[in-house]
Amino acid sequence: MLSENIKVFRKSKGLSQQELAVRLHVVRQTVSKWEQGLSVPDSDLLLALSAALEVPVSTLLGETAAGREPDDLKAICEKLEVINLQLAQRKAAAQKLLHRLFLLACAAVVALSAVLLVLNSPYLCWNFSDPEAAVAGTLFHAFEWLFARLAPLLLVAAGVGAFLTRGEP
């Protein structure tokens, strides 16, 4: 909600991200991250943002006119805490998904290695006088050759990725 409000009010004032960043003494990427919901401004920057956009802090934080409270620092901090908690939950979910993808990559490398071992290079038995079999055999051989050289690297990289993205016990 905060991210959308920052973008809407910035555009309604006719400001670019760069112009708003200059007014707030931050870099443009900071404003971009706020608008994407990747981070939130701290309480001091939120007050400065409110002044720059000429909008009450409560409106930036998404309160309706009926539920407005005074823009005191305590209320702002509480709302920012909720937003930070939501960002942390999103980050944890993304890390969990990434961890599962790394584990899936490890399993895929191991499974594909097992399949290639069981097949025992079937392209050696193909009749290469048939043009289609020759092309298929060559492609399979190229895949197997490349996979045999990259599989250990892929397995180590995926294993390291899975280790680094594991959740807290």
Side-chain angles (χ1 to χ4, degrees):
M1 174 103 30
L2 174 64
S3 59
E4 297 164 4
N5 288 343
I6 292 172
K7 188 174 189 176
V8 167
F9 288 118
R10 175 185 59 81
K11 286 186 175 185
S12 72
K13 290 289 181 191
L15 296 172
S16 67
Q17 287 182 345
Q18 181 64 38
E19 291 168 334
L20 181 58
V22 168
R23 288 186 183 189
L24 298 173
H25 307 293
V26 297
V27 295
R28 183 202 57 79
Q29 289 82 353
T30 301
V31 175
S32 176
K33 286 182 179 181
W34 293 342
E35 290 183 358
Q36 293 175 28
L38 298 175
S39 68
V40 293
D42 63 21
S43 57
D44 292 336
L45 278 174
L46 190 59
L47 291 172
L49 183 61
S50 169
L53 295 175
E54 299 172 355
V55 176
V57 173
S58 58
T59 304
L60 276 177
L61 292 173
E63 284 191 12
T64 60
R68 273 197 190 163
E69 296 174 11
D71 288 338
D72 65 345
L73 196 53
K74 183 179 178 187
I76 293 169
C77 288
E78 289 172 357
K79 291 170 187 163
L80 283 175
E81 187 176 334
V82 169
I83 293 170
N84 277 327
L85 181 62
Q86 291 171 343
L87 284 174
Q89 288 172 340
R90 262 195 253 157
K91 184 178 177 183
Q95 183 178 358
K96 195 175 195 178
L97 176 65
L98 189 59
H99 178 72
R100 289 180 178 163
L101 289 174
F102 280 128
L103 290 176
L104 183 64
C106 286
V109 168
V110 169
L112 196 50
S113 297
V115 166
L116 289 176
L117 284 174
V118 168
L119 291 178
N120 198 20
S121 298
Y123 64 88
L124 294 175
C125 303
W126 290 353
N127 179 6
F128 284 91
S129 62
D130 177 21
E132 290 177 3
V135 170
T138 304
L139 290 175
F140 186 78
H141 175 69
F143 168 77
E144 187 178 45
W145 181 87
L146 186 64
F147 182 78
R149 279 140 185 87
L150 293 180
L153 296 174
L154 292 173
L155 188 60
V156 168
V160 168
F163 177 76
L164 293 176
T165 59
R166 72 191 185 285
E168 296 299 319

